[in-house]
Each structure stands twice: as structure tokens, then as C-alpha cells.
């Protein structure tokens, strides 16, 4: 009898924890709506970037930004980046960001196994250094994709990674294989976030930090330049002159005139030579269309082609070639 009561009590506690976790997420989302940067505000912004479009996307996908003071505390206490499902309420801003903060986007390679991109805290340590050098304030915000939208394996048991193929209760099945423990709402959130992820390099308040260091003993050692998607994001960030650590030799090596003048041609060539590991079909059907869409959103590039050509010429680039691949 006592054992039965204990089992019932434990079951009730688990349900309570799950409910409390869900309520925390809802409160966070509501709180963000109060403080978020209003749409169509009167603050003048750089016309090259679609700020209103960014706000709408960030709000609809409930994008999660980490506060800089939280990131610093993670480093000091030797903790790791939390999965998006486990970010504490006080540590993040959800949705369209306020107008009075600096936003930093992290471009990085995945260093760990399937469960975590930075298990040893190497990216975290480098990020804190770059944030300090950039004089980031505690209330400024950081976009780190692992913490920005729900990832597989982190929903079934809050705070703990469960392999997606382990068949935990609530997981979704594809054929005979369990593949995802995220809720339908979380999958929709992920889909919305990824659908316009390129906006992160096209939003004027954002500065980009490239986390390129590959520590000894990392589970994955592929350099940043071996992935077409990261190459595209870095190229866009370079065009927009938003890279915080642009003078790092590793970043400079990826921003050479030949790569910036004809990035699509350069990526195709690197795939043929085996430098890039991406599937060429996926690059042509997913990455390049997104790249061109991003370039077309830089309105001054298209509307002021003479001025942009002069800029490219001074920078050692061929502006008209840029315009041609921007238009497909």
C-alpha cells in the first residue's frame, strides 16, 4: 500500500514539474512581448536591413536570446550552454528584441556529439573573451542556435539529454524508428526559426562573432570553412561589415577577395575539390536560393549599384559580378 502511494506521489510530482516548466515558458513569452522592440517604430535604422521583417520573424518563431550576464555566469561557474528547452526565465529574452540592446550572433562549428555543440566550454570561453573585448553590457543579447530554438533529445526529461532513438514516451516515430521527442509546438517553433535564419546576418543591430577555434580532443574537428552554410553566413556578415573579430587570421582567411567576389562560384569549386563536405544538391537547392534572397534584401546594393560598385572597386572586389549573382 505504501509503495503504491509513493509511486502515485512520484508520478504527481513529475506531472507538476512538467506543468511548471511549461508555465515558465509561457510566462517568459508573455514577458518578452512587454519589453520587445515595437514593430514599425519611429527609430531611424539603416535602410539596408529589414528590421521590421526581423522583428516579425523573431516574434513568430519565439526566438530565444541569451543575456550576456548569464553567459558570463556560465563561464565563471564552468557550466555549458543550455539547450533551448532548459534556458532559465531570467537568462533570456524571447521574441523581437528591445531597441536599446546590442545583439551578437555566434557563427560556430559543432564540437561535440549529437547532444551538445560545445561540451568542453571552449566556444563559451572564446565568446566571453570577444564579448568583453567588444565591451558588451550585461543586458545585451546573444544568439547561440543551440539555445535559440528547441533541439532534439532535450524535451523528454528537462535538463537531461535522451537519445532521440530511445523510444521515450511522447517521441515521434518514422517507420519503425523513434526520431524526435519534441512536441508539435516545438517542432513548429524550430521550423519557423530555421525558415528565415538568414535574417540574422541581415539585421542592422547584430554583430557577428566567429567562434573558429577547434580544441584538441574535440569530437568533431571539421573547420568552419568546410561547411557551406557557415561560409554563406560569414560572407553575408562580411558584406555587411558586422564581424567583431574580423582581424583574426582564421576569419581573414575566409574573407579573401576571390571568395567575396564570387562566393557561389568559390563554393562550387570547393565542393568539387573536396574542401567543402556538403552535398552539392542540397547546396544548390537550399543554400544558394537563401543566399540570393538575402542579397536581394540589401536594397542599397540594388538601388545604388554605381555607389556599391565604387565601394567594391575600392575594396578590391568586382561589384557588378556581385550584382549578377545576387539576381540569380
Amino acid at each position: 500500500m505504501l509503495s503504491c502511494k509513493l509511486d502515485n506521489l512520484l508520478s504527481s510530482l513529475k506531472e507538476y514539474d512538467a506543468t511548471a516548466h511549461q508555465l515558465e515558458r509561457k510566462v517568459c513569452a508573455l514577458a518578452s512581448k512587454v519589453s520587445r522592440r515595437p514593430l514599425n517604430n519611429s527609430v531611424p535604422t539603416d535602410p539596408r536591413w529589414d528590421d521590421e521583417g526581423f522583428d516579425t520573424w523573431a516574434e513568430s518563431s519565439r526566438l530565444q536570446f541569451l543575456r550576456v550576464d548569464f553567459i558570463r555566469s556560465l563561464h565563471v561557474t564552468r557550466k555549458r550552454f543550455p539547450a533551448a528547452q532548459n534556458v532559465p526565465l531570467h537568462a533570456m529574452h524571447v521574441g523581437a528584441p528591445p531597441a536599446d540592446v546590442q545583439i551578437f550572433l555566434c557563427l560556430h562549428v559543432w564540437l561535440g556529439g549529437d547532444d551538445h555543440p560545445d561540451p568542453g566550454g571552449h566556444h563559451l570561453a572564446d565568446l566571453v573573451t570577444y564579448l568583453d573585448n567588444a565591451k558588451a553590457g550585461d543586458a545585451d543579447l546573444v544568439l547561440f542556435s543551440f539555445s535559440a530554438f528547441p533541439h532534439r533529445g532535450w524535451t523528454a526529461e528537462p535538463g537531461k539529454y535522451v537519445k532521440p532513438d530511445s523510444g521515450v514516451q511522447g517521441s515521434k516515430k518514422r517507420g519503425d524508428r523513434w526520431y524526435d521527442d519534441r512536441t508539435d509546438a516545438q517542432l513548429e517553433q524550430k521550423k519557423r526559426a530555421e525558415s528565415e535564419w538568414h535574417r540574422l546576418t541581415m539585421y542592422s543591430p547584430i554583430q557577428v562573432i566567429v567562434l573558429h577555434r577547434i580544441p584538441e580532443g574535440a569530437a568533431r574537428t571539421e573547420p568552419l570553412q568546410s561547411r557551406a552554410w557557415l561560409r554563406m553566413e560569414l560572407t553575408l556578415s562580411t558584406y555587411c561589415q558586422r564581424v567583431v573579430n574580423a582581424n583574426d587570421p582564421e576569419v581573414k582567411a575566409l574573407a579573401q577577395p576571390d571568395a567575396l567576389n564570387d562566393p557561389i562560384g568559390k563554393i562550387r569549386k570547393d565542393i568539387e575539390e573536396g574542401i567543402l563536405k556538403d552535398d552539392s544538391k542540397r547546396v544548390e537547392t537550399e543554400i544558394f536560393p537563401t543566399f540570393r534572397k538575402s542579397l536581394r534584401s540589401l536594397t542599397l546594393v540594388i538601388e545604388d549599384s554605381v555607389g556599391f560598385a565604387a565601394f567594391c572597386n575600392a575594396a578590391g572586389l568586382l561589384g557588378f559580378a556581385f550584382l549578377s549573382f545576387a539576381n540569380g
Side-chain angles (χ1 to χ4, degrees), residues 60-181:
S60 66
S61 60
R62 304 194 305 281
L63 206 60
Q64 297 179 185
F65 300 81
L66 298 180
R67 285 177 55 97
V68 168
D69 55 357
F70 174 67
I71 289 174
R72 286 172 172 147
S73 71
L74 288 177
H75 178 54
V76 170
T77 56
R78 298 182 179 276
K79 294 181 179 178
R80 308 189 304 177
F81 285 107
Q85 293 94 313
N86 303 310
V87 179
L89 172 64
H90 69 274
M92 66 177 172
H93 175 91
V94 179
D100 58 349
V101 298
Q102 175 63 59
I103 305 170
F104 297 91
L105 166 66
C106 296
L107 299 187
H108 65 89
V109 293
W110 193 284
L111 298 177
D114 293 339
D115 61 323
H116 203 280
D118 184 32
H122 299 284
H123 281 335
L124 177 61
D126 292 344
L127 174 59
V128 169
T129 298
Y130 288 126
L131 289 172
D132 289 346
N133 291 342
K135 302 186 185 309
D138 284 346
D140 288 338
L141 302 174
V142 172
L143 243 297
F144 190 81
S145 60
F146 181 67
S147 303
F149 59 86
H151 282 64
R152 288 196 309 171
W154 290 96
T155 293
E157 297 185 29
K160 180 181 178 182
Y161 177 74
V162 178
K163 287 186 177 181
D165 61 357
S166 59
V168 294
Q169 185 176 3
S171 290
K172 293 159 185 63
K173 231 177 180 181
R174 182 180 291 135
D176 294 329
R177 182 178 174 82
W178 299 97
Y179 73 97
D180 212 316
D181 62 335

Side-chain angles (χ1 to χ4, degrees), residues 138-280:
D138 284 346
D140 288 338
L141 302 174
V142 172
L143 243 297
F144 190 81
S145 60
F146 181 67
S147 303
F149 59 86
H151 282 64
R152 288 196 309 171
W154 290 96
T155 293
E157 297 185 29
K160 180 181 178 182
Y161 177 74
V162 178
K163 287 186 177 181
D165 61 357
S166 59
V168 294
Q169 185 176 3
S171 290
K172 293 159 185 63
K173 231 177 180 181
R174 182 180 291 135
D176 294 329
R177 182 178 174 82
W178 299 97
Y179 73 97
D180 212 316
D181 62 335
R182 286 170 291 191
T183 65
D184 290 341
Q186 288 175 335
L187 288 171
E188 179 62 25
Q189 182 183 355
K190 171 185 178 291
K191 181 180 178 181
R192 284 178 176 270
E194 291 184 335
S195 67
E196 299 187 59
W197 192 255
H198 65 281
R199 285 189 179 277
L200 292 171
T201 49
M202 315 304 292
Y203 179 51
S204 56
I206 282 185
Q207 293 190 48
V208 173
I209 295 176
V210 184
L211 303 174
H212 51 76
R213 183 166 66 97
I214 309 293
E216 185 177 350
R220 299 183 184 180
T221 58
E222 297 172 343
L224 185 141
Q225 62 264 32
S226 68
R227 289 299 176 188
W229 189 268
L230 289 172
R231 184 93 67 86
M232 181 196 78
E233 290 185 311
L234 180 59
T235 300
L236 289 170
S237 302
T238 303
Y239 286 147
C240 297
Q241 302 177 61
R242 310 295 291 174
V243 182
V244 171
N245 54 325
N247 289 324
D248 286 4
E250 295 84 354
V251 178
K252 278 186 173 182
L254 297 175
Q256 296 300 312
D258 63 331
L260 296 178
N261 179 56
D262 184 12
I264 289 179
K266 176 66 172 172
I267 287 175
R268 284 174 176 155
K269 179 181 177 182
D270 287 351
I271 289 177
E272 290 177 1
E273 296 179 354
I275 297 173
L276 282 172
K277 308 302 181 183
D278 299 81
D279 175 71
S280 59

Side-chain angles (χ1 to χ4, degrees), residues 25-37 58-59 62-63 89 92-98:
R25 313 299 294 181
K26 290 180 179 179
V27 169
C28 183
L30 289 172
S32 73
K33 291 182 179 180
V34 175
S35 61
R36 74 178 179 85
R37 182 174 177 270
E59 192 68 19
R62 304 194 305 281
L63 206 60
L89 172 64
M92 66 177 172
H93 175 91
V94 179

Side-chain angles (χ1 to χ4, degrees), residues 281-323:
K281 183 177 180 180
R282 177 175 176 269
V283 170
E284 294 287 347
T285 59
E286 296 181 24
I287 295 179
F288 286 167
T290 299
F291 191 36
R292 292 190 176 101
K293 180 180 179 181
S294 301
L295 294 172
R296 284 194 292 269
S297 72
L298 287 169
T299 55
L300 286 187
V301 172
I302 305 302
E303 295 174 4
D304 183 23
S305 58
V306 175
F308 185 73
F311 161 78
C312 289
N313 183 60
L317 308 176
L318 298 178
F320 292 109
F322 177 96
L323 290 173

